[in-house]
Amino acid sequence: MKIGIITYHFARNYGAILQCYALQTKLLSMGHDVWVLNYKSERQEKNNSLHHKRDGIVANLAVNAALLPFEAARKTKERRFAQYESRELRLTPRFRSVDEMQEYVNSEGFDLLISGSDQVFNPKIADFDYAFLFPFETSARKGSFAASLGSATEEDLGCHAEKLREFDVLSVREKTDAPTVQLVCGRSPHVVDDPVFLLDSSAWAAASGIEMRDDGYVLGYFINKEMSKHYLELTELVAKKLGLPFKVLNVRYGLDSFRPQMITDAGPEEFLDCFSRASFVCTDSFHGTAFSLIFKKRFISFEPKAKSHDWRKRDLLEKTGETMRSVAIDNDDARAGVERLCACPALDAMEGLATIRERQIAFLNMMLGE
């Protein structure tokens, strides 16, 4: 079967590119001819440019001045992402418009088009594009795999109801999204987990040429800019309690980026390598939590508030029996919780991950008609 996948494969975001790689790789291992639909509009290209311009001359001057010390690191990171994308993803020719993609899909005889994973059903984010909904006539079947709405509501998605109804198979990533999709298009979607779980630790290590071992350091990986200072302080506490050095995968550049512990130029392979060799991980990221589980690491999954709305991490920790790893930093006993987890051994989440993977594969087989 010839399959095309559309997602945010071009984003300079570790989770975005790795989830795309995982879905592609799993489908290839099942014997299918799989391609990543290399769609990127001019607007998306601008949004993801290394030198994306902000509104206003003053704003641009201020941003450029602040980023200048990290220019070399940013270029290295961009190069590593670009190399991983071109080497590891089976990319079609570049499409800049829906018409170009439609012509290629129909002329090449694709059997199935898959949208997802990631926030391909979220019209509220800057990189959303109508192309994610395959708004064209084709003989190929249409499906979504673990599509996410992000913060989109029924009202936000309502204008796309007609195109969603044209999907032959629908699945969403978060269980909280299922009722919204049902209200919009009158069908209850399946709920399947992020594609990164389609590959186990051995598959990830083999694919990226990394070695799973414990190199004796604490790894920090934070995506919430406002909370990162607090997360960093707690990561330093973990390192002190364990008597280990620490390093941090730096996502956003700022004053803390000058610290020697900061890794400012990591690409996808360096990201995987850092997780595979860590002794302990501190993260607020869903994919940081996911790869901590995949690589069987002791970890803490930070939340900014006790009543966080990040259902992705909460659901994942419940499914794998690791809810104790969640620490909300607005709690008075956050430091005590961190110290408690420093003494807690890694639990075996493999049974929970195996169940997740079995359900994903069952859904894929159903989508593929097998």
Side-chain angles (χ1 to χ4, degrees), residues 155-182:
E155 290 72 26
D156 297 319
L157 204 58
C159 60
H160 302 297
E162 181 180 350
K163 292 306 172 186
L164 283 172
R165 294 190 190 103
E166 292 178 4
F167 275 62
D168 298 277
V169 186
L170 280 170
S171 75
V172 293
R173 190 173 61 184
E174 287 82 57
K175 66 181 182 181
T176 50
D177 286 345
T180 302
V181 171
Q182 183 170 17

Side-chain angles (χ1 to χ4, degrees), residues 3 51 72 74 82 86 116-117 154 161 200 206 232 286 308 324 327 342:
I3 302 171
H51 298 288
R74 294 171 71 221
S86 63
S117 180
E154 179 187 352
D200 62 17
L232 180 57
F286 169 81
S308 170
M324 61 184 293
V327 172
C342 287

Side-chain angles (χ1 to χ4, degrees), residues 314-327:
R314 191 172 304 172
D315 288 350
L316 175 58
L317 294 174
E318 288 177 358
K319 290 174 183 175
T320 54
E322 295 271 23
T323 53
M324 61 184 293
R325 303 286 175 183
S326 181
V327 172

Side-chain angles (χ1 to χ4, degrees), residues 102-334:
Q102 177 184 10
E103 181 180 355
Y104 183 84
V105 162
N106 289 337
S107 66
E108 293 295 318
F110 279 81
D111 302 296
L112 174 65
L113 305 178
I114 299 176
S115 182
S117 180
D118 222 327
Q119 295 186 48
V120 290
F121 285 1
N122 184 3
K124 296 178 70 174
I125 60 177
D127 276 340
F128 174 79
D129 197 282
Y130 198 37
F132 293 134
L133 305 180
F134 305 123
F136 51 80
E137 292 294 324
T138 177
S139 61
R141 297 171 65 242
K142 302 175 183 179
S144 66
F145 188 92
S148 175
L149 276 64
S151 60
T153 63
E154 179 187 352
E155 290 72 26
D156 297 319
L157 204 58
C159 60
H160 302 297
E162 181 180 350
K163 292 306 172 186
L164 283 172
R165 294 190 190 103
E166 292 178 4
F167 275 62
D168 298 277
V169 186
L170 280 170
S171 75
V172 293
R173 190 173 61 184
E174 287 82 57
K175 66 181 182 181
T176 50
D177 286 345
T180 302
V181 171
Q182 183 170 17
L183 287 169
V184 169
C185 62
R187 293 162 53 195
S188 180
H190 298 264
V191 179
V192 295
D193 288 277
D194 192 282
V196 296
F197 298 112
L198 286 166
L199 307 182
D200 62 17
S201 58
S202 298
W204 278 112
S208 301
I210 59 177
E211 182 180 348
M212 289 185 296
R213 63 175 189 259
D214 186 339
D215 275 1
Y217 62 82
V218 176
L219 177 67
Y221 174 54
F222 323 121
I223 58 175
N224 187 320
K225 182 178 181 180
E226 289 71 26
M227 295 291 109
S228 61
K229 181 177 179 63
H230 302 289
Y231 297 152
L232 180 57
E233 290 174 353
L234 292 174
T235 300
E236 291 184 272
L237 174 62
V238 171
K240 182 177 180 180
K241 293 292 292 185
L242 297 179
L244 296 174
F246 73 93
K247 58 180 67 175
V248 177
L249 280 162
N250 189 86
V251 178
R252 294 180 175 86
Y253 300 93
L255 290 177
D256 283 330
S257 303
F258 289 103
R259 298 178 61 168
Q261 297 91 349
M262 296 293 172
I263 302 171
T264 57
D265 60 0
E269 287 183 319
E270 290 75 24
F271 172 91
L272 291 169
D273 189 55
C274 283
F275 273 85
S276 70
R277 296 188 293 112
S279 300
F280 198 106
V281 177
C282 297
T283 185
D284 68 337
S285 155
F286 169 81
H287 283 107
T289 301
F291 280 105
S292 297
L293 288 163
I294 290 170
F295 288 124
K296 306 175 187 177
K297 301 299 178 179
R298 300 161 64 196
F299 69 95
I300 295 173
S301 186
F302 290 129
E303 295 287 358
K305 299 178 181 179
K307 294 183 179 180
S308 170
H309 296 294
D310 191 343
W311 291 99
R312 296 186 305 160
K313 286 188 291 181
R314 191 172 304 172
D315 288 350
L316 175 58
L317 294 174
E318 288 177 358
K319 290 174 183 175
T320 54
E322 295 271 23
T323 53
M324 61 184 293
R325 303 286 175 183
S326 181
V327 172
I329 64 169
D330 67 338
N331 285 344
D332 293 336
D333 61 348

